[in-house]
Amino acid sequence: MVARAASGQEPGGSVVPDAGWQLMALANQARSQAGAGKLQWDDALAAAARAHCLRMAAEGPIAHRYGGEADLSTRAGQAGAHFDLIEENVAVGPSPAEIHDEWMHSPGHRSNLLNPEVDRVGIAVVAARGVLYATADYARAVKSLSPAQVEARVAGLIRVSGVAIAGNNAQARSACASDEGVPAAQNGRVPGFVMRWQDSALNELPAPLREKLASGQYHQAEVGSCPAQGVEGDFTAYRVAVLLY
């Protein structure tokens, strides 16, 4: 259960939490009618939306980004959100119902609100100059995993094939950090196959790796994780290397 903060005066306007909850309820009603999944409240997204909405109310004309402000993915990441898809709606209007109606009658905003790919939302509403400023940040959440948790999850997927997991994964971690090639032999061991990839979801192994595991050629795997490469903003992704012996 998420506690609702009390309304409070901030530089630029007065935050109105209940209006944000009304917008989420209206969004979920519209999503239900459209056959999209229900949005869950995300405190980190709400914090990012609040910071932007206060600035929007203070600066006047609504916008998705102001001078000196980080982009949406960076703002949300800095607030603690983990995601691989993020989008934003902003508006100014007299009431939550009319803001929702405005979004539903704007093709781009409607698409964001009804997007079946997003499952989390954080909304902030600020009262200033006799109107309401609203920011809604929608995202597809990604579970936050440590490198050890990433390795354990991938190892679990490999074990299903009957291939054993090596206890020492230093070579796989080294291979993960490089872009290509076979890592230098350690303890006289040279892998027969190397697979590197990165993704935000670790629900299944890449097809080429599954094929190698099913071939019966290999009897042991080493799994290593390292920081993702080439990810813009604060999108969450996991990079993995698997060595087969």
Side-chain angles (χ1 to χ4, degrees):
M1 180 177 179
V2 179
R4 301 189 186 188
S7 295
Q9 185 71 35
E10 298 268 2
S14 180
V15 179
V16 189
D18 280 349
W21 287 92
Q22 289 176 47
L23 281 171
M24 187 178 79
L26 290 167
N28 277 331
Q29 182 179 4
R31 287 173 66 88
S32 177
Q33 293 170 351
K38 184 177 181 180
L39 294 172
Q40 300 295 323
W41 186 266
D42 187 292
D43 284 334
L45 291 175
R50 176 189 176 109
H52 180 72
C53 200
L54 284 166
R55 185 159 183 177
M56 193 164 63
E59 299 207 15
I62 62 173
H64 290 285
R65 190 177 184 182
Y66 295 97
E69 184 182 30
D71 64 18
L72 172 58
S73 67
T74 302
R75 296 198 307 265
Q78 290 174 343
H82 294 272
F83 50 88
D84 65 356
L85 171 65
I86 191 165
E87 51 197 25
E88 182 176 76
N89 280 356
V90 296
V92 60
S95 69
E98 290 183 65
I99 288 172
H100 173 75
D101 188 63
E102 179 183 332
W103 285 341
M104 290 296 289
H105 285 86
S106 164
H109 294 91
R110 179 186 177 92
S111 177
N112 288 343
L113 193 154
L114 298 180
N115 187 351
E117 297 297 316
V118 300
D119 54 18
R120 298 289 188 276
V121 69
I123 303 175
V125 178
V126 173
R129 294 184 290 278
V131 294
L132 298 177
Y133 292 82
T135 299
D137 290 342
Y138 312 91
R140 179 169 58 200
V142 173
K143 188 173 182 179
S144 178
L145 300 173
S146 68
Q149 289 173 321
V150 170
E151 292 164 355
R153 178 169 291 195
V154 173
L157 295 172
I158 292 172
R159 285 193 184 95
V160 175
S161 69
V163 173
I165 303 299
N168 186 335
N169 62 357
Q171 196 172 6
R173 287 181 174 178
S174 176
C176 182
S178 64
D179 290 331
E180 57 184 15
V182 177
Q186 293 187 11
N187 300 320
R189 286 160 49 92
V190 178
F193 178 76
V194 179
M195 182 79 208
R196 299 174 180 87
W197 78 98
Q198 63 186 48
D199 202 343
S200 58
L202 298 173
N203 300 322
E204 63 177 6
L205 301 171
L209 179 56
R210 295 200 304 270
E211 292 172 5
K212 293 295 184 181
L213 291 170
S215 72
Q217 293 178 264
Y218 305 98
H219 305 287
Q220 191 175 62
E222 190 177 324
V223 182
S225 178
C226 62
Q229 300 179 4
V231 178
E232 297 181 1
D234 275 32
F235 291 91
T236 298
Y238 301 108
R239 183 171 173 84
V240 188
V242 171
L243 314 183
L244 297 183
Y245 301 92

